Amino acid sequence: MLRFLLIVLFVVLFLILSIPVFLVEWILGKFNPKLRDISSLRIVQWAFRVIIRLSGIRLTVIGEDRVPADTPVLYIGNHRSYFDIVLTYARCPGLTGYIAKKEMEKIPLLSRWMKFLYCLFLDRKDIKQGMKTILTAIDHIKNGISMMIFPEGTRGSAQSEAEMLPFHEGSFKIATKTGCPIVPVAIVNSSAVFEDHLPRVKAAPVIIEYGEPIYPAALSREQQKFIGRQVQEQIKEALLKNRSALQ
């Protein structure tokens, strides 16, 4: 329980103390938007790294060198825990926006940081608004900003991590319409940190594996229609492999 309380205390203090930082970042953005973007990215990544330390996570990262360094990418990951966002965002090499559920836009201060970092809020109940969100993500990719999405649409709760919910194929239009590479991200054992024993936070080993990038242009038109299945299979293989490594 102590870890949980320390993390909550840190998050609350960070958000409160960052209020004057918002003004500084806003002014900085007026004169040098790129510097503001990088500054916001590094501040949030620092905060996430502190949370990872407080949680006691023992993190193993595989295949990070597979992520293309010279182009924005679409990260696609499985989703079992709130810590998935903390763990993956702390490692983003460049500016990356996440697609989050619409409800997070209502959280004071946190939503402001998310908007600074080009995160988008998806209303899963409104198809028209959902399409607008995808189109905005496409624009972000064209402007050099990577995107990450968990295409299951919600956190999985099956007993086995490999039992993922179906991936929403519409998410992959971000890649097929821009030609950016898709990077599969398999996150193993993150629910053992928090969700498996709410409200306690427990130290646990977590493995993140970045898969070989998939380039939509190299696929046939028929393959592009069902690209979500291919990505999901690649993630599933990595989940099964790395889950056995933890046992």
Side-chain angles (χ1 to χ4, degrees):
M1 198 64 180
L2 178 60
R3 292 183 189 275
F4 174 78
L5 294 174
L6 287 174
I7 290 171
V8 170
L9 178 62
F10 173 77
V11 170
V12 171
L13 288 175
F14 172 79
L15 292 175
I16 292 174
L17 294 175
S18 66
I19 293 175
V21 178
F22 290 143
L23 177 60
V24 174
E25 294 289 274
W26 180 80
I27 294 172
L28 186 60
K30 292 293 182 180
F31 296 96
N32 193 330
K34 288 186 177 179
L35 182 59
R36 193 286 308 273
D37 289 346
I38 295 300
S39 173
S40 296
L41 172 67
R42 300 310 177 203
I43 290 170
V44 172
Q45 286 184 319
W46 170 81
F48 282 175
R49 285 194 290 269
V50 172
I51 292 172
I52 291 170
R53 291 194 188 98
L54 291 175
S55 69
I57 293 172
R58 302 184 298 278
L59 181 62
T60 300
V61 180
I62 301 169
E64 203 164 22
D65 58 329
R66 297 169 183 158
V67 180
D70 57 348
T71 184
V73 305
L74 175 64
Y75 296 99
I76 296 291
N78 63 304
H79 194 24
R80 298 277 292 187
S81 170
Y82 290 115
F83 276 88
D84 295 337
I85 300 166
V86 175
L87 289 162
T88 54
Y89 202 85
R91 307 200 66 84
C92 291
L95 198 62
T96 304
Y98 277 46
I99 295 183
K101 59 184 180 181
K102 184 72 174 178
E103 291 78 2
M104 294 194 71
E105 193 173 15
K106 299 177 183 178
I107 302 176
L109 303 179
L110 176 62
S111 62
R112 174 53 53 190
W113 275 117
M114 293 177 73
K115 289 174 181 177
F116 271 167
L117 295 169
Y118 299 93
C119 292
L120 302 175
F121 301 95
L122 179 65
D123 187 345
R124 291 171 290 183
K125 299 178 181 179
D126 189 327
I127 296 176
K128 186 176 180 180
Q129 289 299 320
M131 183 53 65
K132 286 184 178 179
T133 301
I134 296 298
L135 292 174
T136 302
I138 289 171
D139 287 338
H140 284 352
I141 291 284
K142 290 179 178 178
N143 290 322
I145 301 166
S146 294
M147 297 299 299
M148 179 153 189
I149 188 167
F150 301 106
E152 292 173 272
T154 187
R155 286 180 294 114
S157 57
Q159 186 172 3
S160 169
E161 285 165 324
E163 296 178 41
M164 291 174 280
L165 297 169
F167 280 10
H168 295 292
E169 292 288 344
S171 309
F172 295 88
K173 291 185 182 295
I174 299 170
T176 56
K177 295 295 185 182
T178 61
C180 76
I182 299 168
V183 177
V185 184
I187 307 166
V188 179
N189 207 44
S190 57
S191 63
V193 179
F194 184 52
E195 280 74 11
D196 290 351
H197 37 71
L198 296 171
R200 291 176 296 168
V201 173
K202 288 187 176 182
V206 176
I207 299 175
I208 298 176
E209 179 167 354
Y210 296 88
E212 293 290 346
I214 298 170
Y215 292 84
L219 304 176
S220 68
R221 184 167 297 182
E222 187 65 22
Q223 287 175 320
Q224 288 185 19
K225 290 180 182 178
F226 304 102
I227 195 169
R229 296 180 188 176
Q230 179 180 342
V231 176
Q232 191 167 31
E233 280 302 312
Q234 189 168 331
I235 291 174
K236 183 177 180 178
E237 289 177 9
L239 291 173
L240 292 172
K241 177 191 69 174
N242 292 318
R243 167 53 64 181
S244 64
L246 290 178
Q247 296 173 347

